[in-house]
Amino acid sequence: MAAPSKRSQWREELQHFRKDHGFSKKVLLNCCLVRRIVTWASPNLKDSVEDELELSAVRHRPEGLEQLESQTRFSRKELQILYRGFKNECPSGIVNEDTFKDIYSQFFPQGDASTYAHFLFNAFDTDHNGSVSFEDFVMGLSILLRGTVQEKLNWAFNLYDINKDGYITKEEMLDIMKAIYDMMGKCTYPVLKEETPRQHVEVFFQKMDKNRDGVVTIDEFIDCCQNDENIMRSMHLFENVL
Amino acid sequence: MATGVAAWLPFARAAAIGWMPVANCPMPVAPGDNSKRQDELIILNVSGRRFQTWRTTLDRYPDTLLGSSEKDFFYNEETKEYFFDRDPDAFRSILNFYRTGKLHYPRHECISAYDEELTFFGIIPEIIGDCCYEEYKDRKRENLERLQDDQEENKDLKLPNMTFRETMWRAFENPHTSTMALVFYYVTGFFIAVSVITNVVETVPCGSTSSQKDTPCGERYTVAFFCMDTACVMIFTVEYLMRLFAAPSRYRFMRSVMSIIDVMAILPYYIGLVMTNNEDVSGAFVTLRVFRVFRIFKFSRHSQGLRILGYTLKSCASELGFLLFSLTMAIIIFATVMFYAEKGSSSSKFTSIPASFWYTIVTMTTLGYGDMVPKTIAGKIFGSICSLSGVLVIALPVPVIVSNFSRIYHQNQRADKRRAQKKARLARIRVAKSGSANAFLQSKRNGLLNELLELTGTEEDEQKLVKSASLLESQHHHLLHCLERTTAHEFVDEQVYEQNCLEAALRTYASRSPSASSRGSAAGTCCGRGLKRSGPPPRHGPLQELSAIHIQCVDPAPHAASRSNLNLRTDERINCKGGRITTAIISLPSPPALTPDGDGLHGPLQRRPPPPPGHPAAPSIQTTMSSAGTNIVKVSAL
């Protein structure tokens, strides 16, 4: 009969969908059922209610512990600690940009950390789906805390390269610099002037841009950083963070 | 820093790697994690109910009982758990505070019991989350008011050191406190009644005399009534003056409603005395006598109900206004209609629209005096519509208004409460923010101080302000320090910042210092300032040594000038030996707002230590500085 096979096919698809996105069966079922009831009850408010449902139904469960252990350089215990902290702050399992900005701003009470948090968010959100899941979070941390210097520098380059085209232009660097200086806030010594970020960018480009073509490529960046003692030393600064 | 996001601190620190390639200076050393314990479960036994949580969860709030070493007092060796003999239900919300960072107030809890629990566990109630804070404050206020009422009832004893004035005021406000007050209360009440009855009886016609008309009693027994009036007014005047004398705030008393009523009650009499029996002003005089009826309002001091009524009317003024407005609209509409309907009929009383107002009002309020009635058919039709709609217009809103009274009354109170609490809430948030910022600046100063003390190898241990900040705090401060190094600027507090701004403005007008040449680049200043900027140290010698090590290129002009300004601000022992030479101070300037443990900071430090014996280094250091700029800071052997 056509019906059972269709049903089984649908069930298979559902299972694939679930596996891909880590949704449990129950959650999915609840999701669909609730949505059906609501749309039946109030057909006019279809869009807004669906939007609300979208938001509340998005729960993310990360891959298994073994998988994460193999993909990152953290031990089991460390992953446990990380996940507990992560889930405590974001019970839904994912961080969206606003929450991220909130959390990051709490560490810098004197200034405005939202711009820099935005860049950070983009650097962590490697698949660019608008939210940082635990996997993204832990992969990023693995590079930053346990990666080789090369990887760390790569990550930093990725952070500075806002449009991810492989080149850091002066404008991109200026944006990043302004974001960093914004975190300092108003009450600084010496008083922050308008051209301070620009000057800093000039200094940076003088150091990094070897062939003076106005952009910094990944190789120039890594080369230059590896030759700079201060930078190399500070790369090892946070290794015992966890 | 909100410790609720303590779990994300490792992430924030890791992300700081993004600043490293941009920085031009070396980064400060990270605080070591000395007591790296494995995270363990600890058991909290609260009156038999066992709670378990991670140790790190409790460590998030180190200034509470559970987060500090104070809980070791409750440790039970045999069962390896912490035993607290407290209420387990209340403990739930306290433990949730550690877990989620938000303190909730459970509604079924008694407010004083909950307060006690919070005090026991060292948690201040101000951090109750916004969701529960309003409820908590309401309950607390109710409780306080109830306690106050109880106290007032018990407060029959006169406090021994109350002045005569205060005693009088208390007697006036609470008549049952002493017999004198009670006597006074009843006497004034009696005289108010007498005065009101006099006013009323004055106008009653008192049996006919030889003249034809019935004369009112007032004109027959003029002298008697005048005497009674005088007596009453004298009593009222004396009472008013006594109240004025006893009032704690005379200006406020004079503005209060009751005193205005008092004044209006006695003023007509005095005005009448002053004015002669002039024909021109007799009309005005009569009007003034009407104000004597205000004496009846003096009863509101004696009657609680009257006061409440007045207050509710005042608070529902807008609703009443709306009723009045809609009535006026209806009256105008119907008056117009009736006027034009009755225009045709002869001998109609509806001579003008204003004249029809009276008919409309009387009909709409279903009074129906009958002095004006419509005669035409159209007039009668519209008249009936008018009376029907009158019933609706008046009868319907009145219950709504009555119920609105209570609703709006409570709502207003809640809105005012919320507004007041919002201000308090914003203030709390601001305080928390500035608190964390100030904590960082404070720790910088402490850190500098400690380093210097270590360098000089002093044995004066009491000067060691080791406010052992938690590991979390020190890590957070390290992060902020890294940011400072990256941007080559430093965090300062508001006052210093404003001062610097002022200075910068002044300097543009003053003569330029020739040290403009050494206006180092951002990189230079960063390294040059290093440890110095956090504040002038207590000892000059070691500082000079330290600064010698760290100076690469220095920008002394703003530096020393502002430092001297700091000196000038807080220590008057500076003699300006002219120009730009200032003597160094030996005490640490600390803006009063920032030091939580001000005593520890000020006390020992303002002792002037003897200048360090090893001074051969000093001249060379000074030349180093002088070569960089003209602002010379001399060590004085004062």
Side-chain angles (χ1 to χ4, degrees):
Chain A
M1 281 213 323
S5 70
K6 222 200 231 170
R7 213 180 304 141
S8 56
Q9 187 189 28
W10 176 80
R11 202 175 300 149
E12 258 185 58
E13 278 182 10
L14 192 61
Q15 278 189 348
H16 282 308
F17 176 69
R18 260 186 22 226
K19 280 223 178 62
D20 289 340
H21 295 260
F23 283 26
S24 82
K25 189 172 186 179
K26 212 178 193 180
V27 165
L28 209 58
L29 207 59
N30 284 344
C31 208
C32 297
L33 196 62
V34 171
R35 190 182 306 205
R36 201 177 287 269
I37 292 177
V38 172
T39 45
W40 168 80
S42 51
N44 301 336
L45 309 168
K46 199 163 179 226
D47 294 320
S48 60
V49 162
E50 271 192 350
D51 286 333
E52 282 180 35
L53 276 179
E54 290 292 348
L55 224 53
S56 59
V58 173
R59 286 203 185 336
H60 188 84
R61 190 168 298 169
E63 312 163 3
L65 206 48
E66 290 85 13
Q67 221 166 342
L68 279 180
E69 219 183 334
S70 60
Q71 285 173 355
T72 67
R73 296 198 193 87
F74 288 120
S75 72
R76 242 185 130 82
K77 261 221 147 26
E78 288 167 340
L79 280 173
Q80 281 181 336
I81 296 177
L82 275 175
Y83 188 64
R84 283 206 301 265
F86 184 83
K87 187 114 173 125
N88 229 358
E89 276 308 305
C90 317
S92 61
I94 54 165
V95 197
N96 59 358
E97 190 163 336
D98 292 326
T99 325
F100 191 86
K101 280 187 183 167
D102 266 338
I103 293 176
Y104 199 70
S105 304
Q106 303 218 19
F107 294 107
F108 303 97
Q110 280 195 331
D112 172 28
S114 50
T115 333
Y116 189 71
H118 167 76
F119 295 132
L120 258 189
F121 186 80
N122 287 340
F124 268 87
D125 184 17
T126 40
D127 46 2
H128 303 291
N129 59 352
S131 59
V132 168
S133 66
F134 183 62
E135 284 99 341
D136 298 333
F137 179 71
V138 106
M139 306 269 207
L141 273 191
S142 158
I143 297 178
L144 287 174
L145 297 178
R146 301 286 153 93
T148 65
V149 177
Q150 180 92 357
E151 290 173 346
K152 289 184 191 173
L153 290 173
N154 216 338
W155 187 91
F157 185 85
N158 198 27
L159 173 70
Y160 299 148
D161 184 12
I162 298 177
N163 54 359
K164 317 281 181 242
D165 61 355
Y167 300 104
I168 305 180
T169 63
K170 278 202 180 162
E171 286 76 28
E172 289 175 340
M173 204 58 218
L174 187 60
D175 283 338
I176 299 266
M177 202 62 77
K178 280 205 200 134
I180 295 182
Y181 274 88
D182 277 343
M183 284 198 282
M184 291 293 293
K186 194 179 56 132
C187 301
T188 58
Y189 178 82
V191 180
L192 271 179
K193 304 194 188 59
E194 277 294 313
E195 61 269 9
T196 319
R198 199 175 293 274
Q199 281 173 357
H200 205 148
V201 170
E202 291 301 323
V203 167
F204 178 79
F205 262 77
Q206 262 183 352
K207 220 175 16 161
M208 301 276 169
D209 191 10
K210 288 287 184 279
N211 56 358
R212 302 269 172 266
D213 58 354
V215 294
V216 176
T217 63
I218 178 89
D219 302 309
E220 287 176 341
F221 183 74
I222 293 186
D223 267 336
C224 189
C225 289
Q226 282 181 331
N227 293 337
D228 186 331
E229 212 183 87
N230 278 340
I231 297 182
M232 290 307 283
R233 209 187 348 215
S234 51
M235 282 288 151
H236 296 284
L237 197 58
F238 294 110
E239 262 167 15
N240 62 343
V241 159
L242 202 57
Chain B
M1 177 187 73
T3 336
V5 293
W8 286 71
L9 186 59
F11 159 75
R13 299 181 71 211
I17 288 194
W19 308 332
M20 303 297 148
V22 172
N24 302 317
C25 304
M27 289 291 143
V29 181
D33 200 354
N34 312 333
S35 56
K36 201 166 175 99
R37 267 181 304 202
Q38 276 287 27
D39 206 3
E40 40 165 329
L41 273 179
I42 60 177
I43 307 177
L44 301 163
N45 185 347
V46 182
S47 302
R49 205 186 299 178
R50 280 184 176 70
F51 298 87
Q52 291 185 337
T53 180
W54 298 108
R55 183 177 289 277
T56 47
T57 312
L58 293 181
D59 286 342
R60 281 194 203 146
Y61 297 94
D63 50 355
T64 58
L65 186 150
L66 290 174
S68 63
S69 57
E70 196 182 341
K71 63 177 182 286
D72 294 337
F73 286 101
F74 298 92
Y75 188 65
N76 189 344
E77 292 291 344
E78 295 111 50
T79 52
K80 296 259 182 282
E81 59 189 21
Y82 295 88
F83 181 75
F84 296 97
D85 202 5
R86 310 289 299 185
D87 183 11
D89 289 326
F91 188 74
R92 260 189 57 233
S93 39
I94 289 176
L95 195 54
N96 271 337
F97 165 62
Y98 287 90
R99 294 191 181 124
T100 60
K102 289 202 270 269
L103 181 62
H104 294 282
Y105 168 60
R107 276 160 175 72
H108 59 268
E109 278 289 335
C110 166
I111 184 79
S112 35
Y114 189 69
D115 259 348
E116 270 178 35
E117 294 295 313
L118 286 185
T119 321
F120 179 84
F121 286 103
I123 299 174
I124 47 173
E126 271 67 34
I127 49 179
I128 290 184
D130 289 335
C131 43
C132 300
Y133 193 63
E134 192 178 325
E135 170 90 19
Y136 173 81
K137 274 284 177 219
D138 285 346
R139 296 272 289 266
K140 193 147 188 195
R141 199 171 26 91
E142 274 175 37
N143 206 29
L144 221 63
E145 284 170 0
R146 196 162 357 118
L147 285 176
Q148 268 179 3
D149 286 340
D150 288 342
Q151 270 180 9
E152 276 176 15
E153 279 175 19
N154 298 340
K155 212 169 53 167
D156 280 333
L157 313 149
K158 200 166 85 169
L159 301 171
N161 38 3
M162 269 171 73
T163 68
F164 176 63
R165 195 171 144 190
E166 284 173 3
T167 330
M168 259 178 79
W169 181 249
R170 218 170 117 247
F172 279 135
E173 293 298 297
N174 306 328
H176 49 264
T177 48
S178 72
T179 29
M180 264 306 290
L182 213 55
V183 163
F184 183 78
Y185 176 75
Y186 282 127
V187 161
T188 43
F190 173 70
F191 271 98
I192 295 173
V194 160
S195 162
V196 169
I197 291 174
T198 314
N199 286 344
V200 167
V201 167
E202 229 177 17
T203 57
V204 170
C206 269
S208 49
T209 60
S210 50
S211 54
Q212 287 100 342
K213 271 205 297 216
D214 276 334
T215 51
C217 285
E219 286 176 21
R220 230 174 124 189
Y221 305 103
T222 324
V223 177
F225 278 104
F226 182 73
C227 287
M228 295 240 296
D229 206 17
T230 313
C232 293
V233 169
M234 294 235 297
I235 300 269
F236 295 152
T237 316
V238 164
E239 181 206 350
Y240 180 71
L241 289 175
M242 274 170 48
R243 275 185 206 266
L244 191 61
F245 167 69
S249 157
R250 300 218 170 101
Y251 178 62
R252 204 158 54 93
F253 173 73
M254 278 180 29
R255 281 192 312 171
S256 72
V257 177
M258 287 312 301
S259 96
I260 291 177
I261 291 178
D262 287 338
V263 166
M264 278 173 61
I266 60 180
L267 217 48
Y269 177 80
Y270 288 112
I271 295 181
L273 278 186
V274 165
M275 288 198 318
T276 58
N277 221 347
N278 203 346
E279 282 303 315
D280 299 332
V281 296
S282 66
F285 182 59
V286 164
T287 321
L288 272 177
R289 298 192 106 205
V290 169
F291 280 97
R292 288 189 307 173
V293 81
F294 273 90
R295 288 183 196 162
I296 206 170
F297 282 114
K298 284 168 71 78
F299 267 129
S300 58
R301 272 218 188 86
H302 300 252
S303 155
Q304 177 85 340
L306 214 59
R307 273 206 297 267
I308 289 179
L309 182 65
Y311 182 67
T312 38
L313 282 178
K314 191 170 68 160
S315 61
C316 297
S318 65
E319 289 292 293
L320 288 174
F322 170 69
L323 175 62
L324 217 61
F325 177 69
S326 58
L327 267 181
T328 313
M329 259 177 41
I331 286 171
I332 292 178
I333 291 173
F334 278 109
T336 313
V337 166
M338 289 306 298
F339 172 71
Y340 282 113
E342 286 288 302
K343 200 154 181 208
S345 93
S346 58
S347 75
S348 131
K349 293 241 176 97
F350 294 81
T351 50
S352 65
I353 294 185
S356 315
F357 281 169
W358 174 243
Y359 168 76
T360 321
I361 291 176
V362 165
T363 315
M364 280 184 89
T365 53
T366 70
L367 278 175
Y369 288 133
D371 53 350
M372 281 164 85
V373 285
K375 293 204 171 54
T376 60
I377 295 186
K380 285 189 179 154
I381 291 175
F382 285 119
S384 37
I385 296 178
C386 177
S387 57
L388 284 175
S389 66
V391 168
L392 284 175
V393 168
I394 290 184
L396 277 184
V398 168
V400 173
I401 286 179
V402 165
S403 72
N404 268 4
F405 274 5
S406 48
R407 188 175 56 84
I408 291 176
Y409 178 71
H410 288 288
Q411 218 175 47
N412 268 349
Q413 288 217 321
R414 223 177 295 137
D416 285 334
K417 262 190 293 179
R418 224 179 295 132
R419 236 174 289 133
Q421 283 170 11
K422 182 175 179 185
K423 266 190 265 174
R425 219 176 306 154
L426 288 177
R428 267 188 300 149
I429 292 175
R430 231 176 311 133
V431 161
K433 263 198 157 191
S434 68
S436 67
N438 292 340
F440 174 57
L441 296 168
Q442 174 72 9
S443 83
K444 268 209 297 192
R445 234 173 276 126
N446 285 353
L448 173 64
L449 187 51
N450 286 342
E451 286 176 37
L452 289 167
L453 290 174
E454 280 166 25
L455 270 178
T456 59
T458 179
E459 293 92 36
E460 300 178 59
D461 285 1
E462 73 265 23
Q463 287 194 4
K464 221 174 175 98
L465 309 157
V466 184
K467 192 171 112 142
S468 55
S470 64
L471 185 62
L472 231 54
E473 259 190 53
S474 56
Q475 285 179 346
H476 183 221
H477 293 161
H478 173 247
L479 183 66
L480 291 174
H481 214 159
C482 284
L483 182 61
E484 285 185 338
R485 288 290 180 87
T486 311
T487 55
H489 287 64
E490 283 188 358
F491 288 110
V492 294
D493 65 88
E494 286 264 354
Q495 291 160 309
V496 177
Y497 169 70
E498 270 156 31
Q499 231 172 2
N500 293 347
C501 282
L502 224 66
E503 240 176 74
L506 285 172
R507 240 183 300 131
T508 54
Y509 295 119
S511 57
R512 291 232 166 268
S513 93
S515 68
S517 56
S518 63
R519 200 163 294 284
S521 66
T525 4
C526 138
C527 308
R529 259 201 323 284
L531 295 159
K532 268 207 285 194
R533 191 52 273 194
S534 311
R539 276 147 237 250
H540 208 71
L543 171 67
Q544 291 287 0
E545 286 170 16
L546 216 54
S547 48
I549 298 168
H550 284 276
I551 285 178
Q552 286 164 23
C553 83
V554 97
D555 190 9
H559 182 77
S562 58
R563 183 145 63 112
S564 69
N565 267 359
L566 276 174
N567 303 349
L568 284 168
R569 188 160 51 84
T570 57
D571 191 345
E572 50 278 23
R573 286 173 290 193
I574 293 171
N575 320 319
C576 263
K577 288 205 169 85
R580 294 176 173 273
I581 299 177
T582 56
T583 49
I585 68 158
I586 317 291
S587 63
L588 202 64
S590 36
L594 292 187
T595 47
D597 48 349
D599 304 326
L601 197 51
H602 288 299
L605 287 175
Q606 277 172 355
R607 253 183 286 139
R608 218 108 40 83
H615 254 287
S620 59
I621 291 168
Q622 288 200 334
T623 51
T624 322
M625 282 196 75
S626 58
S627 65
T630 56
N631 285 5
I632 305 169
V633 181
K634 259 204 311 199
V635 179
S636 79
L638 289 171

